[in-house]
Amino acid sequence: MNIYLTFDYELFFGENTGTVQDCLINPTAQLFSFAKQKDVHYTFFVDVGFLIAAEKYPELNNDLNLVKNQVNEMVALGHDVQLHIHPHWEKATWDKVWSMNINESYKLSDFPQDELVAIVRKYKTYLDELIGKETFVFRAGGWCIQPFSLLKNVFLELGITIDSTVFPGGYLQTKDYDVNFLKAPKKSKYQFENDVCEEVENGSFTEYSIASYRYFPSFYWWLYGLGRIFPKRHKMLGKGNFISQGGRKWSALTSFSDYHVSTDGYFAKKLEASLQKAINLEHEEFVTIGHPKSCSVYSLIKTKQFIDKYHLVHHFKTFDRN
Ligand SMILES: [Zn+2]
């Protein structure tokens, strides 16, 4: 199995973004150490919008330099750095804290076509210049990549040929989110052209789906309960707030749901079971999603155990080392 441990490297976008130190620097440093010990590498999808927004405020210079240095350290350590876009940073302003205007700017499709194209060009150019490499893999902020036809031409222009946003069976429709992967091929890798959920042989783009897992309500009762009972072990290290996912929390507590395989928090409990499921399905790729900000003491232990147990059994890969 080819295993891709991927992390979306970003702050929170709710009322409280959390700090650069807690959400990014410290948990990422711990992830680095696990990888180094076993010579495995990760893919980091770097939220460039934050960096571009922070450039406008001299008082954020220190934070900005910490993050830029860590992104360069990723590359120096052999990790893969690729493009992650949360376009609402376009409308974020800083005055002691970040104020975010998520409304009608959370996803790229909220912007007029010319602005959308300009954002993708600007963010990719910024990241490529920062790391001194050409990025070619994309993950949409909040998994909002639909309709893909809006992005197709600018991706072709910029040489973005791989996407890793889809988790088959995923569905999240709220005023901010527009995610519908119910029809996505139940494959770990496929090619597509105009629609990320429709396989097209010899299509211009390749989807490396994030692995999906069927979580039962009892899982979420533990997930929400453990953070309260054992906060030191189970609370997220990045102390910020997510934006609302509408009724997803309640529906997850009451009925089974397909969601992505993740190294975040209590989700890390299912890493091994999910890998076994992917092996049973004869998938060739196993892509996990995680966020340094959502790591907990528990999830870091689980992630390290996963690497220690499987680094000689499976291939831990990145996109630029294929
Ligand atoms: Zn993100």
Side-chain angles (χ1 to χ4, degrees), residues 8 10 13 47 84 86 140-142 291 293:
D8 297 359
E10 62 192 27
F13 312 124
D47 171 21
H84 188 48
H86 278 282
H291 303 76
K293 68 182 181 185

Side-chain angles (χ1 to χ4, degrees), residues 271 275 286 302-310 316:
L271 281 173
L275 174 64
F286 182 71
K302 283 288 181 187
T303 303
K304 181 177 186 308
Q305 284 173 350
F306 186 81
I307 293 168
D308 291 352
K309 183 165 176 181
Y310 293 114
F316 283 78

Side-chain angles (χ1 to χ4, degrees), residues 156-173:
L156 288 174
E157 169 200 316
L158 297 173
I160 301 171
T161 53
I162 294 178
D163 178 67
S164 184
T165 299
V166 173
F167 52 105
Y171 184 84
L172 191 55
Q173 295 285 328

Side-chain angles (χ1 to χ4, degrees), residues 12 53 62 78 106 145 228 278 290 303 309:
F12 288 91
N62 190 35
Y106 184 64
I145 193 170
R228 294 189 183 166
T303 303
K309 183 165 176 181

Side-chain angles (χ1 to χ4, degrees), residues 116-165:
L116 172 160
V117 166
I119 291 169
V120 177
R121 281 191 193 130
K122 179 171 70 173
Y123 285 27
K124 183 181 186 299
T125 305
Y126 183 98
L127 184 59
D128 289 2
E129 279 175 11
L130 174 63
I131 62 173
K133 280 173 126 175
E134 288 270 335
T135 52
F136 58 95
V137 188
F138 178 73
R139 175 169 294 151
W143 311 283
C144 296
I145 193 170
Q146 295 160 303
F148 180 72
S149 51
L150 301 177
L151 296 167
K152 180 185 167 182
N153 286 338
V154 70
F155 276 23
L156 288 174
E157 169 200 316
L158 297 173
I160 301 171
T161 53
I162 294 178
D163 178 67
S164 184
T165 299

